Amino acid sequence: MEPFKIKATESIPFTSRAEREAALKSAGYNLFSVPSSKITIDLLTDSGTSAMSDRQWAALMIGDESYAGSRNYFRLEETVRRISGYKHVIPLHQGRVAENLLFSNCVRPGDHVPNNIHFDTTKANIEHNGGQAIDCVIDAAYDPQADIPFKGDMDLEKLDRVLADVGRDRIPLVLLTITNNSGGGQPVSLANATEVSDWCKRHGIPFFYDACRFAENAYFCKVRSGLDGDIPTIARRFFDLADGCTMSAKKDGLVNMGGFVALNDDALAEKVTNMLILIEGFPTYGGLAGRDLEAMAQGLEEVLDERYLAHRIGQVRDFGQALRDAGVPILVPVGGHAVYLDARRFLPHIAQDQFPAQALTCALYLEGGVRAVEIGGLMFGAGGNWPELELVRLAVPRRVYTSSHLDYVVEIAATLFEKRDSIRGLQITYEAPVLRHFTAQLKPVE
Ligand SMILES: *Cc1c(COP(=O)(O)O)cnc(C)c1O
């Protein structure tokens, strides 16, 4: 059961099918353009959508809005240092700023940056600096039915191949995303992180985590490989293997806005901090209000509570199991923050160049006002480089929806699966040059 009770409520919108049809059409068949007032259950993302605790709301009242040296910064710094062990803690307003600051100071044109699978903003920020983002996850990650415990693991042979192809000097850092969001929120084992760390040390290459869901990853390690110790101890064993991390606290920071870079290298920290001042703000607030820093520090403490994580991971797992029981094809095993529908198996009659996962996303909305997000050809297929997977991600916000909300989503998906033959593909009518999925406009194929 939920290890919390509810103190404030927010009503959710209900719409008619006609209203949803009109909303979808005027949004160009892109759910990012549908206003939230027309969404009944919003599973677009788990990012920045968490419900804060009473203690976090209380933290807002002790915000110290001093321009320099806010006490909230020092609490955040102390908290992140205690959890991660990293020396420098640089606050900023969200994860992609961490990526921008880090990569613009270490990625040069022609560089290659390996990761298990790069998240979309990570890949875009590397490419924006002239680098190439290389995915080196194990092959099983691309098989939606391979039910193995650590599907986010890096394939060391693929790392070797990148090294052989481009040479050590063209690899400014290696990233490891915990959990692996774009591969289905799949965890990375401590053993694999250790191998990656050793590999990086052997070749003198810095190693960073994309640590957005570090606590969920630690929980998976505890239950799936029976690691000893509490969650903070396991998380720390991961952090100890690397030189630093980028963090979107909109995930495991349990806040609506926030993030940081944490790292050990003094010279790099100085460069990042100088750039921070240019684009975000003074180093003790980094684009956030003092109160936000306090809420983030509090969230980082709460996310390491094992009861919280058992409920969190359990809720997502049960949601996935209910979909499976209803015959709906999903990616297995179920990851930490979302259930991913396998659009290739759901809609085998729609060719990849007609965006099956986007078509399914639109159909879910039409059927029940449920908002999901496409992770497939629309997100990653620009320029005709089609991705292996066509997924629809049903991300579960933290501490926001109850099991009966998710039961409703299961019903909608099951109903849709019954009439899947009636769902048609889509074609693009407008796309932006980068990150096209956010603003693309589409229309149904005739
Ligand atoms: C969300 C996310 C990011 C980017 O963070 P924002 O706060 O959205 O800018 C980077 N990497 C991963 C794995 C993420 O999930």
Side-chain angles (χ1 to χ4, degrees), residues 47 94-97 99 119 121-122 177 179 181 210 212-213 248 250-251 258:
S47 178
Q94 64 181 101
R96 70 198 66 186
V97 182
E99 294 165 351
F119 183 64
T121 61
T122 319
T177 305
T179 57
N181 185 356
D210 180 339
C212 299
R213 299 175 183 79
S248 169
K250 299 171 71 171
K251 287 71 175 247

Side-chain angles (χ1 to χ4, degrees), residues 57-71:
W57 284 105
L60 298 182
M61 287 305 292
I62 51 171
D64 166 9
E65 305 309 334
S66 306
Y67 191 95
S70 159
R71 68 169 173 263

Side-chain angles (χ1 to χ4, degrees), residues 21-137:
E21 267 165 17
L24 197 58
K25 201 164 177 201
S26 71
Y29 295 84
N30 185 339
L31 273 295
F32 280 104
S33 299
V34 174
S36 64
S37 59
K38 302 247 182 300
I39 309 286
T40 301
I41 303 288
D42 203 348
L43 306 183
L44 181 72
T45 177
D46 64 321
S47 178
T49 52
S50 301
M52 292 208 297
S53 68
D54 51 355
R55 284 171 188 244
Q56 286 179 291
W57 284 105
L60 298 182
M61 287 305 292
I62 51 171
D64 166 9
E65 305 309 334
S66 306
Y67 191 95
S70 159
R71 68 169 173 263
N72 311 124
Y73 170 74
F74 295 112
R75 177 175 173 200
L76 178 72
E77 182 188 48
E78 185 278 319
T79 305
V80 175
R81 276 187 180 158
R82 176 163 34 81
I83 293 171
S84 71
Y86 300 136
K87 185 171 166 194
H88 302 284
V89 179
I90 300 161
L92 30 84
H93 86 273
Q94 64 181 101
R96 70 198 66 186
V97 182
E99 294 165 351
N100 176 354
L101 291 169
L102 186 63
F103 303 152
S104 60
N105 280 295
C106 65
V107 177
R108 302 278 162 264
D111 281 352
H112 289 59
V113 182
N115 198 338
N116 41 6
I117 302 185
H118 290 273
F119 183 64
D120 58 353
T121 61
T122 319
K123 176 169 149 69
N125 270 295
I126 288 165
E127 288 171 355
H128 187 69
N129 285 290
Q132 271 193 54
I134 316 281
D135 295 336
C136 295
V137 75

